Amino acid sequence: MTGVANRRQFDTTLQNECDRARRSKAPLSLIMLDIDFFKKYNDHYGHQAGDECLQDVAQALRATINRPTDLVARYGGEEFAVILPGTALEDACTIAEKLNAAIVALDRPHADSPLGRVTISLGVAVLSPGQDHDATHLVSQADTALYAAKTAGRNQFCAWKAPDA
């Protein structure tokens, strides 16, 4: 429906990229994001408009991600993920800012959002060279950062930080 990779392709690609990152000792970044107040959007505008919103967001994300090795995928519902092989945290945060700006630029009205427009929240995490974490752990870190962005007010990104950092 959205024209981007589905969850199955995401899971396979992320596992393959985690394996490759460990072998090559290269960083691997993951951005998890979702549309802010999407249930309210669906309730207000209807499910057909919700589907169109998902399609517009997916295409804006895909248009922002330029490298052929990167993958934009629909993770589930209104949640998307972006896999960024060979990308360190600082660069992933720059990409998260560009993704957020691309959605703001859509200027899609959202009457039940405090900002009056469709926005996204993003969580960024990185598997750094030498780390022995798996794909599940990387998703968990990015998801934790995503919820930190939501708690901080939405329409922004947060990067995952270790609890002792």
Side-chain angles (χ1 to χ4, degrees), residues 45-120:
Y45 296 101
H47 291 284
Q48 185 172 354
D51 288 349
E52 292 169 4
C53 179
L54 287 170
Q55 291 166 348
D56 287 350
V57 167
Q59 293 313 306
L61 298 174
R62 196 168 82 174
T64 305
I65 300 301
N66 299 321
R67 297 184 317 176
T69 56
D70 298 340
L71 179 77
V72 176
R74 185 171 176 199
Y75 191 75
E78 75 278 9
E79 194 166 11
F80 293 86
V82 182
I83 300 172
L84 303 164
T87 305
L89 183 62
E90 183 178 330
D91 293 329
C93 289
T94 299
I95 292 167
E97 288 175 340
K98 289 178 182 179
L99 293 169
N100 196 33
I103 303 309
V104 168
L106 290 174
D107 201 28
R108 189 177 189 101
H110 186 338
D112 291 330
S113 169
L115 296 174
R117 297 282 179 250
V118 169
T119 59
I120 58 174

Side-chain angles (χ1 to χ4, degrees), residues 3-157:
V4 298
N6 63 18
R7 174 66 183 271
R8 181 175 296 163
Q9 186 177 354
F10 166 81
D11 288 340
T12 300
T13 301
L14 184 60
Q15 186 58 57
N16 291 340
E17 292 299 340
C18 281
D19 294 344
R20 185 186 336 263
R22 269 197 246 22
R23 285 191 311 271
S24 66
K25 297 185 177 14
L28 171 64
S29 290
L30 176 66
I31 300 173
M32 300 291 291
L33 63 103
D34 73 9
I35 301 170
D36 295 328
F37 306 108
F38 188 70
K39 183 183 180 327
K40 290 182 178 184
Y41 187 93
N42 261 345
D43 291 346
H44 184 88
Y45 296 101
H47 291 284
Q48 185 172 354
D51 288 349
E52 292 169 4
C53 179
L54 287 170
Q55 291 166 348
D56 287 350
V57 167
Q59 293 313 306
L61 298 174
R62 196 168 82 174
T64 305
I65 300 301
N66 299 321
R67 297 184 317 176
T69 56
D70 298 340
L71 179 77
V72 176
R74 185 171 176 199
Y75 191 75
E78 75 278 9
E79 194 166 11
F80 293 86
V82 182
I83 300 172
L84 303 164
T87 305
L89 183 62
E90 183 178 330
D91 293 329
C93 289
T94 299
I95 292 167
E97 288 175 340
K98 289 178 182 179
L99 293 169
N100 196 33
I103 303 309
V104 168
L106 290 174
D107 201 28
R108 189 177 189 101
H110 186 338
D112 291 330
S113 169
L115 296 174
R117 297 282 179 250
V118 169
T119 59
I120 58 174
S121 296
L122 308 93
V124 182
V126 65
L127 177 64
S128 296
Q131 285 184 304
D132 194 30
H133 298 300
D134 60 11
T136 304
H137 190 75
L138 185 60
V139 169
S140 177
Q141 290 176 339
D143 205 45
T144 298
L146 167 62
Y147 283 95
K150 289 189 162 302
T151 300
R154 303 178 196 249
N155 190 34
Q156 61 187 294
F157 80 91

